[in-house]
Each structure stands twice: as C-alpha cells, then as structure tokens.
Amino acid sequence: MRVDAVTLFPEMIDRPLSESIVGRARTEGFLELGFVNPRDFTEDRHRTVDDKPYGGGTGMVMMAEPVYRALKKVRKKNSFVILLTPKGRRFDQAAALELAEKKHLVFICGHYEGIDERVTPLADMELSIGDYVLTGGEPAAVVVIDAVARLIPGVLKKDDATVNETFTGGLLEAPHYTRPGVWRGKAVPPALLSGNHKLIAEWRSGTARELTAKERPDLAGPVPAEKKPGGRSKGFKK
Ligand code: ADE
C-alpha cells in the first residue's frame, strides 16, 4: 500500500512510524510512506501557508491554495483522500478494515485552527480519531496509518493475529498472560495452562463476552465478514 500525507510537519508522522512493526513494514516494502509539504507550493518570499480567519477570531487558518497544489502533486486516479478533522466520522476498527482495502491513501493534515473550509470537497472522507482537539491532524494520521498498516497482509508475522483480536470480532479481547505462572501471588487462569485447545478457546470467548458486557456494552457485536481484510469494502464514496 502507498500512503502520502499532506503536512507542514512531515517529521511528526515520519518519526513515530519509523519504529517497530510499521518501521519494518516500510523497510520491507509492505508500506510506502511519502510526504508533501504545502509550504513547498507557496510563491511569496515568506512561504506563507496561513492567514487570519475571516470574521475574526483567534489563531490562523491554513490557506486553501498551497494545500490544493500539494494534494494535486500526489493524488492519482485510485487515491482515497482523507481529511483529518475533529468533525469527521469517528475512526474505529471497521474504518481501519475498510481503509486497508485501498491501494493509495492520502491524508490531509490541518494545523493551527484548521484549513480553509473550501478544501473539504477535495476529500473523499473526513475522519476524526476521537472527541478531543489535537494541535493538528498529524498525530491522528499516525494513529490511523498504524491501525491500517498492521492489517496489510504480511505486516504481522501471523496474519491470524488480526482475526481474534479486540474489536475485529466486535468484542474486547480476553486478557493475555506470559511466564511466570504465578507472579507476586497472582496465578494465571488455569484454563490457559491446561493445554486443551477447546477449553482455552471457550475460556477466551467467554471471558471476552463478559469483559465486553462489563466495560463496553455499547459494542455492537461481530463485524460482518465482508468488512474483514480481503472482503468487499462498503460505506465510502469511492
Ligand atoms: N485534528 C485535530 N483534532 C483531531 C481529531 N480529534 N481527529 C482528527 N484530526 C484532528
């Protein structure tokens, strides 16, 4: 998969996504990540990318033209363009699965008070990572790219690591334990030490159901099969 980010601060995305699993996905070629900076598409001496808001108010607003030109540089016929904004659709595992089907994602990251509203129609979707306001779209892009990258076939060593996990089945995942069997007086649940695969599977699904009912009763239940990786994607404009 190819991902490009339109951002004034490429390092805010590049650095965190150079480590660990996503870093390896990049070096192994599962994920190609590129950046395009609206500042490189300005024409004035100061390379101005923002201006005061019409109607007054605090902060600065990113101007439409440099963002438009930067996007034009990377957008192709099959690109899916995502504008990161707190007013977007809430990002969740179902959205990650849908985005993982795309060939090319382009993220537009606002900064300061946001981007001139007239760029919004250039995006296929507006996306928010939660009901809080960040300093810009860059940390949100990191979250979304991370969640999508691990769904690309081959990125996780065991592809079924994404099948049983929290949210993909519409439930929170049962807790994990490793050695020692007893740690500071706390024992691992006996079912996990039984070596009986059926018993272990039953313990995990029962515990997942109980945990979800207690902590997240709002979770809807299993994600339909067509939204799993390799299935059809739904619910997007393109
Ligand atoms: N930009 C600022 N806050 C954001 C959020 N919560 N999600 C996505 N982009 C944002």
Side-chain angles (χ1 to χ4, degrees):
M1 174 186 275
R2 167 112 199 150
V3 175
D4 285 285
V6 176
T7 171
L8 296 172
F9 301 97
E11 290 288 294
M12 286 180 76
I13 302 172
D14 190 24
R15 294 283 274 267
L17 295 177
S18 296
E19 300 286 336
S20 181
I21 294 166
V22 181
R24 200 175 58 228
R26 290 173 70 185
T27 54
E28 291 178 356
F30 291 105
L31 173 69
E32 268 181 89
L33 185 53
F35 303 96
V36 58
N37 193 331
R39 207 176 283 286
D40 296 334
F41 297 84
T42 53
E43 279 171 3
D44 64 312
R45 205 158 52 90
H46 300 290
R47 306 176 78 211
T48 310
V49 289
D50 58 355
D51 208 335
K52 287 179 287 197
Y54 275 122
T58 52
M60 299 291 270
V61 176
M62 280 173 69
M63 294 188 298
E65 184 63 16
V67 174
Y68 170 77
R69 290 188 187 180
L71 177 62
K72 205 162 161 231
K73 177 92 183 165
V74 291
R75 183 176 212 165
K76 293 174 202 71
K77 268 217 180 73
N78 69 352
S79 307
F80 190 79
V81 179
I82 299 157
L83 177 63
L84 293 158
T85 161
K87 69 182 167 76
R89 166 182 164 180
R90 181 81 66 84
F91 185 62
D92 58 13
Q93 191 66 19
L97 286 158
E98 291 173 41
L99 295 180
E101 301 282 323
K102 309 286 181 194
K103 294 266 177 297
H104 182 211
L105 299 177
V106 181
F107 291 91
I108 303 177
C109 304
H111 218 88
Y112 315 117
E113 285 305 299
I115 310 177
D116 188 309
E117 183 62 25
R118 290 168 291 185
V119 305
T120 300
L122 301 177
D124 297 302
M125 136 188 256
E126 294 174 80
L127 196 61
S128 163
I129 63 159
D131 289 341
Y132 38 80
V133 182
L134 302 166
T135 55
E138 289 81 3
V142 170
V143 168
V144 176
I145 296 166
D146 184 288
V148 171
R150 64 190 289 289
L151 297 174
I152 299 170
V155 167
L156 295 185
K157 286 299 158 240
K158 272 196 196 156
D159 276 349
D160 68 4
T162 62
V163 172
N164 279 326
E165 69 188 2
T166 294
F167 299 122
T168 294
L171 296 173
L172 300 178
E173 200 180 8
H176 302 285
Y177 299 86
T178 188
R179 289 190 293 177
V182 179
W183 176 72
R184 294 184 179 252
K186 292 178 194 291
V188 170
L192 295 179
L193 306 175
S194 69
N196 178 335
H197 295 300
K198 188 161 171 278
L199 188 66
I200 293 169
E202 280 167 5
W203 181 86
R204 286 196 171 132
S205 64
T207 306
R209 268 195 298 276
E210 280 166 25
L211 186 67
T212 307
K214 182 164 171 275
E215 302 293 342
R216 293 292 307 276
D218 57 301
L219 285 179
V223 173
E226 74 264 21
K227 291 208 177 151
K228 296 208 169 125
R232 279 184 304 126
S233 64
K234 276 185 172 179
F236 286 112
K237 277 195 239 164
K238 246 196 208 163

